[in-house]
Amino acid sequence: LLPALPRAMISAYPLKIVQHDRSITFIHEQAHAFWHAVFIPAHRSAEDIDPAFLGGDAIARWESDTLVIDSIAFKNGTYLDESGMPHSDALHVAQRIRQFDRGRHLEVVLTIEDPATFTHPWQARRTYERRPDVRIMEYVCGEPHRALTGDRASALRLHSRPE
């Protein structure tokens, strides 16, 4: 299954962001190179929302140089992190995404609110480095994947199954 928010945005795998006139598409290497489109401007209509892994409804807006994405309506059975932290249908995730260091880095700050699961909102933060030399690769469960250090050869040796 696809990882939900915030898990998808704090993954150690590469992420590509493509901005169009009225939408922004996030392409994730993890979990079969899944994608998530966010529309600007967006209109929220509660009766038309179908739950989804990355939120059935995400509205986005710019606050100066920061993209703010507000997401609700997450599928049941998804997890917030790699440990399997659950959530309720009251989950609300706000992402604040901005470039810094002259565009060499991207900061993602996620605020997680779920009054049915947590006593107060909490945050997760991830910083990405711009890497034009890295391409989104095929990701298949059970197959070796790139090492977090970028040394693909060592990743293949470490994660290969014995013959």
Side-chain angles (χ1 to χ4, degrees):
L1 297 177
L2 295 176
L5 290 175
R7 185 176 164 202
M9 290 302 290
I10 57 176
S11 167
Y13 291 96
L15 163 71
K16 182 175 184 174
I17 302 172
V18 181
Q19 183 174 346
H20 306 281
D21 288 343
R22 305 186 116 205
S23 68
I24 298 173
T25 303
F26 296 82
I27 304 167
H28 300 261
E29 179 173 304
Q30 181 184 19
H32 313 291
F34 70 94
W35 60 273
H36 180 220
V38 178
F39 298 93
I40 305 171
H43 304 284
R44 181 168 283 165
S45 174
E47 63 274 0
D48 296 331
I49 300 173
D50 291 322
F53 287 100
L54 294 168
D57 189 54
I59 58 174
R61 67 186 184 282
W62 286 99
E63 290 181 2
S64 185
D65 64 345
T66 302
L67 176 65
V68 179
I69 304 171
D70 186 50
S71 302
I72 61 170
F74 292 87
K75 275 190 180 265
N76 289 328
T78 60
Y79 301 115
L80 299 179
D81 64 9
E82 294 292 332
S83 73
M85 184 184 300
H87 64 82
S88 77
D89 59 359
L91 177 63
H92 168 231
V93 177
Q95 300 176 72
R96 298 184 64 79
I97 303 169
R98 69 177 185 91
Q99 292 183 38
F100 66 98
D101 194 19
R102 287 181 261 166
R104 288 189 288 245
H105 293 90
L106 186 76
E107 176 187 61
V108 180
V109 177
L110 298 106
T111 302
I112 294 85
E113 295 180 86
D114 187 343
T117 306
F118 306 110
T119 58
H120 60 276
W122 56 277
Q123 289 187 329
R125 180 179 179 272
R126 174 90 167 122
T127 301
Y128 289 92
E129 178 182 3
R130 183 183 298 268
R131 294 280 310 271
D133 60 316
V134 173
R135 303 233 187 275
I136 301 293
M137 295 175 57
E138 182 178 66
Y139 179 107
V140 179
C141 293
E143 290 292 316
H145 301 288
R146 68 173 89 210
L148 301 181
T149 62
D151 180 0
R152 184 162 166 65
S154 69
L156 292 173
R157 280 195 306 275
L158 292 174
H159 301 311
S160 294
R161 288 183 230 149
E163 300 279 327

